[in-house]
Amino acid sequence: MNRPNDAAATPSTSEPQRGSTNEWSTRHSVLRSARRAAALVNVLGAEDDDGAAEPTADSLAALAAVLREYGETDPLDLSDADVTDMRAVAAHLREVFAAPDVDAAATRLNRLLAEGCGPVRLTAHGGGSPWHIHLDSADTAPWAEWFLASSCMALAVLVWDRQRPPGGVCASTRCADVYVTGGSGAERRYCSPRCATRERVADHRRAKERRPSRRDQGARGA
């Protein structure tokens, strides 16, 4: 099974030519690989939330859609066992996204790198891509092994580059999705503008409910 790039490639700031190495590196950059990790953690976590012991047709379709969005091509050949193993990986990666500080994130990543990733190797997928780094055992490694290795490498590079946690867990009380943080600026708290807006509206409503009405104020002043 040929895999897309999971290397520590830096996207070019210039507009890449179609089919060029720069275009390929941009599509498979570290940041994009980290975002793919977050998207996979979220879709696999959603399967667990449904309480289904076995993957359903809908959950398999949702997982396949994320993989295609981030560069995988058909046929994906995802088995129920693959999905079950990927769920376990997602649970471990969620701990990295939930780390309270950079030291905890680095410690959790170090454990996953030591326990589940192989030595660094270079691959060009048989000439189908530029040379790039992988941490899985082979280009035909199982989905779960690839998911863990590619995600750990991308998140580790973000920790190295930014000296801060690579992501977080949405602060919305109605959401548990993980996300990748930006490189600078104010600390991010929500996975999406939708969740941020929903929480601001909820906070406004709660504050409004706590304020005494004019009638209550008049009664106290009588």
Side-chain angles (χ1 to χ4, degrees):
M1 182 185 309
N2 286 335
R3 299 295 190 195
N5 174 40
D6 306 309
T10 302
S12 172
T13 57
S14 59
E15 186 67 22
Q17 296 180 357
R18 185 168 180 80
S20 68
T21 300
N22 280 348
E23 182 197 31
W24 183 87
S25 295
T26 299
R27 286 188 290 111
H28 303 296
S29 68
V30 164
L31 185 57
R32 185 168 173 81
S33 295
R35 288 172 176 164
R36 180 185 63 204
L40 288 172
V41 167
N42 291 336
V43 73
L44 289 160
E47 292 175 5
D48 281 340
D49 291 343
D50 292 338
E54 298 294 335
T56 63
D58 287 344
S59 66
L60 280 168
L63 175 58
V66 172
L67 289 168
R68 292 189 187 101
E69 179 184 354
Y70 282 90
E72 291 288 350
T73 56
D74 292 317
L76 295 177
D77 296 327
L78 281 163
S79 69
D80 288 355
D82 287 326
V83 179
T84 298
D85 291 343
M86 291 178 76
R87 284 179 176 174
V89 171
H92 290 307
L93 290 173
R94 176 174 286 276
E95 295 178 0
V96 177
F97 283 99
D101 52 50
V102 66
D103 291 343
T107 298
R108 295 172 189 183
L109 275 169
N110 277 339
R111 184 181 72 249
L112 293 177
L113 286 165
E115 294 176 355
C117 299
V120 174
R121 64 185 180 88
L122 286 164
T123 181
H125 296 291
S129 71
W131 287 98
H132 59 280
I133 291 175
H134 268 241
L135 292 180
D136 48 8
S137 59
D139 291 350
T140 54
W143 281 103
E145 182 183 340
W146 163 81
F147 176 30
L148 178 64
S150 62
S151 300
C152 283
M153 181 164 59
L155 297 175
V157 171
L158 290 185
V159 170
W160 173 22
D161 182 58
R162 298 173 174 179
Q163 297 298 303
R164 62 190 299 182
V169 179
C170 188
S172 172
T173 56
R174 297 169 59 185
C175 180
D177 280 357
V178 302
Y179 57 85
V180 176
T181 53
S184 59
E187 182 179 356
R188 182 175 173 182
R189 299 183 61 236
Y190 300 101
C191 69
S192 66
R194 179 181 180 182
C195 278
T197 299
R198 184 173 61 222
E199 288 303 305
R200 282 197 297 269
V201 170
D203 287 344
H204 177 73
R205 288 174 178 169
R206 286 191 290 267
K208 188 175 181 180
E209 290 171 356
R210 287 194 295 267
R211 288 197 297 266
S213 66
R214 292 183 178 179
R215 179 178 298 176
D216 291 339
Q217 290 175 336
R220 284 199 297 267

PDB file of all heavy atoms in Angstrom, residues 27-55:
ATOM      1  N   ARG A  27       1.395  19.723  -0.189  1.00  0.00           N
ATOM      2  CA  ARG A  27       0.231  18.879   0.090  1.00  0.00           C
ATOM      3  C   ARG A  27       0.493  17.919   1.237  1.00  0.00           C
ATOM      4  O   ARG A  27      -0.439  17.443   1.873  1.00  0.00           O
ATOM      5  CB  ARG A  27      -0.162  18.093  -1.172  1.00  0.00           C
ATOM      6  CG  ARG A  27      -0.841  18.932  -2.240  1.00  0.00           C
ATOM      7  CD  ARG A  27      -1.384  18.062  -3.374  1.00  0.00           C
ATOM      8  NE  ARG A  27      -0.316  17.482  -4.177  1.00  0.00           N
ATOM      9  CZ  ARG A  27      -0.032  16.182  -4.190  1.00  0.00           C
ATOM     10  NH1 ARG A  27      -0.705  15.349  -3.414  1.00  0.00           N
ATOM     11  NH2 ARG A  27       0.941  15.712  -4.954  1.00  0.00           N
ATOM     12  N   HIS A  28       1.765  17.617   1.511  1.00  0.00           N
ATOM     13  CA  HIS A  28       2.100  16.634   2.541  1.00  0.00           C
ATOM     14  C   HIS A  28       3.079  17.210   3.557  1.00  0.00           C
ATOM     15  O   HIS A  28       4.022  16.564   3.981  1.00  0.00           O
ATOM     16  CB  HIS A  28       2.690  15.378   1.886  1.00  0.00           C
ATOM     17  CG  HIS A  28       1.787  14.766   0.866  1.00  0.00           C
ATOM     18  ND1 HIS A  28       0.554  14.238   1.178  1.00  0.00           N
ATOM     19  CD2 HIS A  28       1.929  14.612  -0.476  1.00  0.00           C
ATOM     20  CE1 HIS A  28      -0.016  13.777   0.072  1.00  0.00           C
ATOM     21  NE2 HIS A  28       0.786  13.995  -0.937  1.00  0.00           N
ATOM     22  N   SER A  29       2.858  18.448   3.949  1.00  0.00           N
ATOM     23  CA  SER A  29       3.736  19.109   4.899  1.00  0.00           C
ATOM     24  C   SER A  29       3.516  18.577   6.310  1.00  0.00           C
ATOM     25  O   SER A  29       2.553  17.856   6.586  1.00  0.00           O
ATOM     26  CB  SER A  29       3.474  20.616   4.885  1.00  0.00           C
ATOM     27  OG  SER A  29       2.187  20.886   5.406  1.00  0.00           O
ATOM     28  N   VAL A  30       4.410  18.961   7.212  1.00  0.00           N
ATOM     29  CA  VAL A  30       4.267  18.583   8.619  1.00  0.00           C
ATOM     30  C   VAL A  30       2.945  19.092   9.181  1.00  0.00           C
ATOM     31  O   VAL A  30       2.224  18.356   9.866  1.00  0.00           O
ATOM     32  CB  VAL A  30       5.456  19.144   9.435  1.00  0.00           C
ATOM     33  CG1 VAL A  30       5.135  19.120  10.920  1.00  0.00           C
ATOM     34  CG2 VAL A  30       6.696  18.311   9.173  1.00  0.00           C
ATOM     35  N   LEU A  31       2.615  20.342   8.919  1.00  0.00           N
ATOM     36  CA  LEU A  31       1.382  20.911   9.457  1.00  0.00           C
ATOM     37  C   LEU A  31       0.162  20.154   8.938  1.00  0.00           C
ATOM     38  O   LEU A  31      -0.768  19.856   9.691  1.00  0.00           O
ATOM     39  CB  LEU A  31       1.293  22.396   9.101  1.00  0.00           C
ATOM     40  CG  LEU A  31       0.110  23.165   9.698  1.00  0.00           C
ATOM     41  CD1 LEU A  31       0.108  23.061  11.216  1.00  0.00           C
ATOM     42  CD2 LEU A  31       0.158  24.625   9.259  1.00  0.00           C
ATOM     43  N   ARG A  32       0.176  19.833   7.670  1.00  0.00           N
ATOM     44  CA  ARG A  32      -0.952  19.085   7.101  1.00  0.00           C
ATOM     45  C   ARG A  32      -1.020  17.675   7.700  1.00  0.00           C
ATOM     46  O   ARG A  32      -2.103  17.164   7.978  1.00  0.00           O
ATOM     47  CB  ARG A  32      -0.829  19.030   5.588  1.00  0.00           C
ATOM     48  CG  ARG A  32      -2.028  18.381   4.899  1.00  0.00           C
ATOM     49  CD  ARG A  32      -1.989  18.616   3.403  1.00  0.00           C
ATOM     50  NE  ARG A  32      -3.021  17.871   2.700  1.00  0.00           N
ATOM     51  CZ  ARG A  32      -4.289  18.249   2.601  1.00  0.00           C
ATOM     52  NH1 ARG A  32      -4.684  19.380   3.167  1.00  0.00           N
ATOM     53  NH2 ARG A  32      -5.182  17.514   1.933  1.00  0.00           N
ATOM     54  N   SER A  33       0.135  17.060   7.916  1.00  0.00           N
ATOM     55  CA  SER A  33       0.153  15.735   8.541  1.00  0.00           C
ATOM     56  C   SER A  33      -0.376  15.790   9.969  1.00  0.00           C
ATOM     57  O   SER A  33      -1.080  14.884  10.424  1.00  0.00           O
ATOM     58  CB  SER A  33       1.575  15.162   8.531  1.00  0.00           C
ATOM     59  OG  SER A  33       2.017  14.920   7.211  1.00  0.00           O
ATOM     60  N   ALA A  34      -0.048  16.866  10.695  1.00  0.00           N
ATOM     61  CA  ALA A  34      -0.554  17.032  12.056  1.00  0.00           C
ATOM     62  C   ALA A  34      -2.068  17.238  12.040  1.00  0.00           C
ATOM     63  O   ALA A  34      -2.794  16.691  12.883  1.00  0.00           O
ATOM     64  CB  ALA A  34       0.141  18.201  12.731  1.00  0.00           C
ATOM     65  N   ARG A  35      -2.543  18.022  11.086  1.00  0.00           N
ATOM     66  CA  ARG A  35      -3.991  18.236  10.970  1.00  0.00           C
ATOM     67  C   ARG A  35      -4.706  16.950  10.576  1.00  0.00           C
ATOM     68  O   ARG A  35      -5.823  16.690  11.012  1.00  0.00           O
ATOM     69  CB  ARG A  35      -4.269  19.349   9.970  1.00  0.00           C
ATOM     70  CG  ARG A  35      -3.900  20.728  10.506  1.00  0.00           C
ATOM     71  CD  ARG A  35      -3.993  21.794   9.437  1.00  0.00           C
ATOM     72  NE  ARG A  35      -3.734  23.120   9.991  1.00  0.00           N
ATOM     73  CZ  ARG A  35      -3.447  24.188   9.258  1.00  0.00           C
ATOM     74  NH1 ARG A  35      -3.364  24.092   7.927  1.00  0.00           N
ATOM     75  NH2 ARG A  35      -3.215  25.358   9.840  1.00  0.00           N
ATOM     76  N   ARG A  36      -4.052  16.146   9.747  1.00  0.00           N
ATOM     77  CA  ARG A  36      -4.624  14.841   9.413  1.00  0.00           C
ATOM     78  C   ARG A  36      -4.726  13.981  10.668  1.00  0.00           C
ATOM     79  O   ARG A  36      -5.732  13.297  10.887  1.00  0.00           O
ATOM     80  CB  ARG A  36      -3.760  14.145   8.369  1.00  0.00           C
ATOM     81  CG  ARG A  36      -4.290  12.763   7.956  1.00  0.00           C
ATOM     82  CD  ARG A  36      -3.324  12.076   7.018  1.00  0.00           C
ATOM     83  NE  ARG A  36      -2.049  11.826   7.678  1.00  0.00           N
ATOM     84  CZ  ARG A  36      -0.888  11.680   7.040  1.00  0.00           C
ATOM     85  NH1 ARG A  36      -0.831  11.785   5.726  1.00  0.00           N
ATOM     86  NH2 ARG A  36       0.219  11.442   7.704  1.00  0.00           N
ATOM     87  N   ALA A  37      -3.691  14.015  11.512  1.00  0.00           N
ATOM     88  CA  ALA A  37      -3.723  13.252  12.764  1.00  0.00           C
ATOM     89  C   ALA A  37      -4.910  13.675  13.611  1.00  0.00           C
ATOM     90  O   ALA A  37      -5.637  12.828  14.153  1.00  0.00           O
ATOM     91  CB  ALA A  37      -2.415  13.449  13.529  1.00  0.00           C
ATOM     92  N   ALA A  38      -5.129  14.989  13.741  1.00  0.00           N
ATOM     93  CA  ALA A  38      -6.253  15.486  14.531  1.00  0.00           C
ATOM     94  C   ALA A  38      -7.583  15.034  13.931  1.00  0.00           C
ATOM     95  O   ALA A  38      -8.491  14.598  14.652  1.00  0.00           O
ATOM     96  CB  ALA A  38      -6.195  17.008  14.630  1.00  0.00           C
ATOM     97  N   ALA A  39      -7.699  15.126  12.613  1.00  0.00           N
ATOM     98  CA  ALA A  39      -8.944  14.728  11.959  1.00  0.00           C
ATOM     99  C   ALA A  39      -9.223  13.240  12.154  1.00  0.00           C
ATOM    100  O   ALA A  39     -10.369  12.831  12.380  1.00  0.00           O
ATOM    101  CB  ALA A  39      -8.871  15.064  10.470  1.00  0.00           C
ATOM    102  N   LEU A  40      -8.177  12.422  12.095  1.00  0.00           N
ATOM    103  CA  LEU A  40      -8.359  10.988  12.298  1.00  0.00           C
ATOM    104  C   LEU A  40      -8.703  10.666  13.746  1.00  0.00           C
ATOM    105  O   LEU A  40      -9.545   9.806  14.027  1.00  0.00           O
ATOM    106  CB  LEU A  40      -7.102  10.243  11.864  1.00  0.00           C
ATOM    107  CG  LEU A  40      -6.855  10.188  10.355  1.00  0.00           C
ATOM    108  CD1 LEU A  40      -5.472   9.605  10.051  1.00  0.00           C
ATOM    109  CD2 LEU A  40      -7.938   9.371   9.651  1.00  0.00           C
ATOM    110  N   VAL A  41      -8.047  11.356  14.693  1.00  0.00           N
ATOM    111  CA  VAL A  41      -8.389  11.160  16.106  1.00  0.00           C
ATOM    112  C   VAL A  41      -9.863  11.485  16.327  1.00  0.00           C
ATOM    113  O   VAL A  41     -10.581  10.764  17.034  1.00  0.00           O
ATOM    114  CB  VAL A  41      -7.493  12.040  17.010  1.00  0.00           C
ATOM    115  CG1 VAL A  41      -8.047  12.085  18.437  1.00  0.00           C
ATOM    116  CG2 VAL A  41      -6.064  11.520  17.016  1.00  0.00           C
ATOM    117  N   ASN A  42     -10.336  12.556  15.703  1.00  0.00           N
ATOM    118  CA  ASN A  42     -11.726  12.971  15.903  1.00  0.00           C
ATOM    119  C   ASN A  42     -12.714  11.979  15.298  1.00  0.00           C
ATOM    120  O   ASN A  42     -13.707  11.621  15.931  1.00  0.00           O
ATOM    121  CB  ASN A  42     -11.935  14.365  15.319  1.00  0.00           C
ATOM    122  CG  ASN A  42     -11.218  15.438  16.108  1.00  0.00           C
ATOM    123  OD1 ASN A  42     -10.942  15.270  17.291  1.00  0.00           O
ATOM    124  ND2 ASN A  42     -10.886  16.534  15.455  1.00  0.00           N
ATOM    125  N   VAL A  43     -12.454  11.531  14.068  1.00  0.00           N
ATOM    126  CA  VAL A  43     -13.409  10.625  13.435  1.00  0.00           C
ATOM    127  C   VAL A  43     -13.381   9.253  14.097  1.00  0.00           C
ATOM    128  O   VAL A  43     -14.430   8.611  14.259  1.00  0.00           O
ATOM    129  CB  VAL A  43     -13.144  10.517  11.917  1.00  0.00           C
ATOM    130  CG1 VAL A  43     -11.898   9.704  11.609  1.00  0.00           C
ATOM    131  CG2 VAL A  43     -14.351   9.918  11.201  1.00  0.00           C
ATOM    132  N   LEU A  44     -12.222   8.801  14.539  1.00  0.00           N
ATOM    133  CA  LEU A  44     -12.141   7.514  15.221  1.00  0.00           C
ATOM    134  C   LEU A  44     -12.709   7.602  16.626  1.00  0.00           C
ATOM    135  O   LEU A  44     -13.310   6.648  17.128  1.00  0.00           O
ATOM    136  CB  LEU A  44     -10.693   7.028  15.253  1.00  0.00           C
ATOM    137  CG  LEU A  44     -10.147   6.587  13.894  1.00  0.00           C
ATOM    138  CD1 LEU A  44      -8.619   6.598  13.884  1.00  0.00           C
ATOM    139  CD2 LEU A  44     -10.670   5.203  13.519  1.00  0.00           C
ATOM    140  N   GLY A  45     -12.559   8.755  17.281  1.00  0.00           N
ATOM    141  CA  GLY A  45     -13.163   8.964  18.589  1.00  0.00           C
ATOM    142  C   GLY A  45     -14.672   9.006  18.508  1.00  0.00           C
ATOM    143  O   GLY A  45     -15.370   8.533  19.410  1.00  0.00           O
ATOM    144  N   ALA A  46     -15.187   9.575  17.406  1.00  0.00           N
ATOM    145  CA  ALA A  46     -16.637   9.619  17.216  1.00  0.00           C
ATOM    146  C   ALA A  46     -17.211   8.220  17.109  1.00  0.00           C
ATOM    147  O   ALA A  46     -18.311   7.943  17.576  1.00  0.00           O
ATOM    148  CB  ALA A  46     -16.975  10.421  15.956  1.00  0.00           C
ATOM    149  N   GLU A  47     -16.448   7.302  16.507  1.00  0.00           N
ATOM    150  CA  GLU A  47     -16.892   5.912  16.438  1.00  0.00           C
ATOM    151  C   GLU A  47     -17.008   5.313  17.834  1.00  0.00           C
ATOM    152  O   GLU A  47     -17.974   4.638  18.168  1.00  0.00           O
ATOM    153  CB  GLU A  47     -15.906   5.091  15.612  1.00  0.00           C
ATOM    154  CG  GLU A  47     -15.883   5.459  14.133  1.00  0.00           C
ATOM    155  CD  GLU A  47     -14.809   4.709  13.378  1.00  0.00           C
ATOM    156  OE1 GLU A  47     -14.169   3.845  13.982  1.00  0.00           O
ATOM    157  OE2 GLU A  47     -14.619   4.984  12.190  1.00  0.00           O
ATOM    158  N   ASP A  48     -16.024   5.595  18.686  1.00  0.00           N
ATOM    159  CA  ASP A  48     -16.058   5.070  20.057  1.00  0.00           C
ATOM    160  C   ASP A  48     -17.244   5.637  20.825  1.00  0.00           C
ATOM    161  O   ASP A  48     -17.873   4.954  21.629  1.00  0.00           O
ATOM    162  CB  ASP A  48     -14.762   5.421  20.789  1.00  0.00           C
ATOM    163  CG  ASP A  48     -13.628   4.478  20.388  1.00  0.00           C
ATOM    164  OD1 ASP A  48     -13.914   3.393  19.877  1.00  0.00           O
ATOM    165  OD2 ASP A  48     -12.458   4.864  20.584  1.00  0.00           O
ATOM    166  N   ASP A  49     -17.556   6.929  20.584  1.00  0.00           N
ATOM    167  CA  ASP A  49     -18.657   7.564  21.293  1.00  0.00           C
ATOM    168  C   ASP A  49     -19.994   6.899  20.981  1.00  0.00           C
ATOM    169  O   ASP A  49     -20.925   6.941  21.774  1.00  0.00           O
ATOM    170  CB  ASP A  49     -18.735   9.056  20.925  1.00  0.00           C
ATOM    171  CG  ASP A  49     -17.557   9.842  21.487  1.00  0.00           C
ATOM    172  OD1 ASP A  49     -16.894   9.318  22.405  1.00  0.00           O
ATOM    173  OD2 ASP A  49     -17.292  10.961  21.005  1.00  0.00           O
ATOM    174  N   ASP A  50     -20.103   6.305  19.779  1.00  0.00           N
ATOM    175  CA  ASP A  50     -21.345   5.647  19.404  1.00  0.00           C
ATOM    176  C   ASP A  50     -21.559   4.345  20.164  1.00  0.00           C
ATOM    177  O   ASP A  50     -22.652   3.778  20.137  1.00  0.00           O
ATOM    178  CB  ASP A  50     -21.354   5.345  17.896  1.00  0.00           C
ATOM    179  CG  ASP A  50     -21.433   6.619  17.070  1.00  0.00           C
ATOM    180  OD1 ASP A  50     -21.897   7.634  17.622  1.00  0.00           O
ATOM    181  OD2 ASP A  50     -21.034   6.593  15.885  1.00  0.00           O
ATOM    182  N   GLY A  51     -20.507   3.869  20.829  1.00  0.00           N
ATOM    183  CA  GLY A  51     -20.624   2.660  21.620  1.00  0.00           C
ATOM    184  C   GLY A  51     -20.667   1.376  20.823  1.00  0.00           C
ATOM    185  O   GLY A  51     -20.989   0.314  21.344  1.00  0.00           O
ATOM    186  N   ALA A  52     -20.327   1.460  19.534  1.00  0.00           N
ATOM    187  CA  ALA A  52     -20.355   0.262  18.702  1.00  0.00           C
ATOM    188  C   ALA A  52     -19.069  -0.535  18.891  1.00  0.00           C
ATOM    189  O   ALA A  52     -17.980   0.006  18.819  1.00  0.00           O
ATOM    190  CB  ALA A  52     -20.528   0.637  17.230  1.00  0.00           C
ATOM    191  N   ALA A  53     -19.225  -1.840  19.137  1.00  0.00           N
ATOM    192  CA  ALA A  53     -18.050  -2.693  19.316  1.00  0.00           C
ATOM    193  C   ALA A  53     -17.320  -2.886  17.999  1.00  0.00           C
ATOM    194  O   ALA A  53     -16.097  -3.000  17.966  1.00  0.00           O
ATOM    195  CB  ALA A  53     -18.470  -4.038  19.899  1.00  0.00           C
ATOM    196  N   GLU A  54     -18.053  -2.929  16.907  1.00  0.00           N
ATOM    197  CA  GLU A  54     -17.478  -3.130  15.588  1.00  0.00           C
ATOM    198  C   GLU A  54     -17.748  -1.905  14.720  1.00  0.00           C
ATOM    199  O   GLU A  54     -18.777  -1.243  14.864  1.00  0.00           O
ATOM    200  CB  GLU A  54     -18.063  -4.380  14.922  1.00  0.00           C
ATOM    201  CG  GLU A  54     -17.778  -5.672  15.669  1.00  0.00           C
ATOM    202  CD  GLU A  54     -16.301  -6.027  15.679  1.00  0.00           C
ATOM    203  OE1 GLU A  54     -15.583  -5.589  14.756  1.00  0.00           O
ATOM    204  OE2 GLU A  54     -15.871  -6.740  16.604  1.00  0.00           O
ATOM    205  N   PRO A  55     -16.839  -1.584  13.797  1.00  0.00           N
ATOM    206  CA  PRO A  55     -17.066  -0.452  12.898  1.00  0.00           C
ATOM    207  C   PRO A  55     -18.320  -0.682  12.056  1.00  0.00           C
ATOM    208  O   PRO A  55     -18.596  -1.794  11.605  1.00  0.00           O
ATOM    209  CB  PRO A  55     -15.808  -0.433  12.021  1.00  0.00           C
ATOM    210  CG  PRO A  55     -14.777  -1.182  12.804  1.00  0.00           C
ATOM    211  CD  PRO A  55     -15.521  -2.211  13.584  1.00  0.00           C
TER     212      PRO A  55
END
